[in-house]
């Protein structure tokens, strides 16, 4: 099977830290260094090296990510963990900057699928609003 989008880069980055990242997330926190490869975002010209390395280039790539048994499963598991953090906000769990990254990631992956889980977290944590820069990067009006 070919890896058209080099999704292996995410699997490799997550392998040594995924269990720890999920454990931290379940406690209502998140570690900033994990954000780029646990909650990837659309390429929109951000400057950070790791953000560029782990940026997703298209809706098709995001769909392939979600279709991956490992990556899609992990993404859903992390998003599901957010649903078990009652009374907390994205800012409280992630901090201001990482909450913006989460918003961008959720927007990208919700545009790549029609998964209820993603829409639910967008609704609860971001009032169902899509992240404008991601929508612009996808060429969609917002």
């Amino acid at each position: 099977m070919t890896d058209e989008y080099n999704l292996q880069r995410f699997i490799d980055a997550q392998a040594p830290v995924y269990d720890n990242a999920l454990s931290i997330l379940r406690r209502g926190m998140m570690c900033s260094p994990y954000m780029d490869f646990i909650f990837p975002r659309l390429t929109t010209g951000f400057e950070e090296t790791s953000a560029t390395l782990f940026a997703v280039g298209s809706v098709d790539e995001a769909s392939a990510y979600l279709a991956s048994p490992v990556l899609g499963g992990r993404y859903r598991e992390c998003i599901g963990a957010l649903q078990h953090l009652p009374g907390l906000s994205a800012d409280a769990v992630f901090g201001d900057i990482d909450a913006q990254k989460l918003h961008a990631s959720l927007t990208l992956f919700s545009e790549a699928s029609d998964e209820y889980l993603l829409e639910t977290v967008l609704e609860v944590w971001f009032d169902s609003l899509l992240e404008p820069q991601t929508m612009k990067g996808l060429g969609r009006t917002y």
Side-chain angles (χ1 to χ4, degrees):
M1 180 181 226
T2 64
D3 184 2
E4 178 181 354
Y5 299 107
N6 187 24
L7 297 176
Q8 187 64 41
R9 71 190 192 275
F10 293 102
I11 294 170
D12 293 344
Q14 291 175 5
V17 300
Y18 179 75
D19 291 336
N20 186 46
L22 182 60
S23 175
I24 292 168
L25 189 59
R26 286 180 172 152
R27 291 191 308 259
M29 301 173 280
M30 188 57 185
C31 186
S32 287
Y34 302 161
M35 284 300 294
D36 294 330
F37 54 83
I38 298 288
F39 297 108
R41 303 177 315 274
L42 183 68
T43 301
T44 58
F46 23 82
E47 321 257 327
E48 306 165 46
T49 304
S50 65
T52 302
L53 175 63
F54 297 110
V56 173
S58 67
V59 169
D60 290 340
E61 184 177 349
S63 294
Y65 186 103
L66 288 175
S68 161
V70 173
L71 295 173
R74 288 177 176 172
Y75 193 82
R76 290 175 189 93
E77 186 174 35
C78 288
I79 297 302
L82 298 179
Q83 291 184 305
H84 299 288
L85 299 174
L88 293 178
S89 68
D91 286 341
V93 173
F94 292 91
D96 190 40
I97 292 171
D98 285 347
Q100 292 171 20
K101 291 178 180 182
L102 174 68
H103 193 190
S105 181
L106 285 167
T107 298
L108 170 63
F109 286 101
S110 70
E111 289 295 299
S113 74
D114 58 355
E115 291 189 38
Y116 181 73
L117 174 64
L118 301 177
E119 293 173 16
T120 300
V121 173
L122 267 170
E123 178 182 335
V124 171
W125 285 46
F126 299 102
D127 296 324
S128 296
L129 299 174
L130 298 173
E131 196 277 319
Q133 285 300 109
T134 301
M135 294 302 288
K136 181 179 178 184
L138 293 173
R140 300 188 176 152
T141 57
Y142 179 68

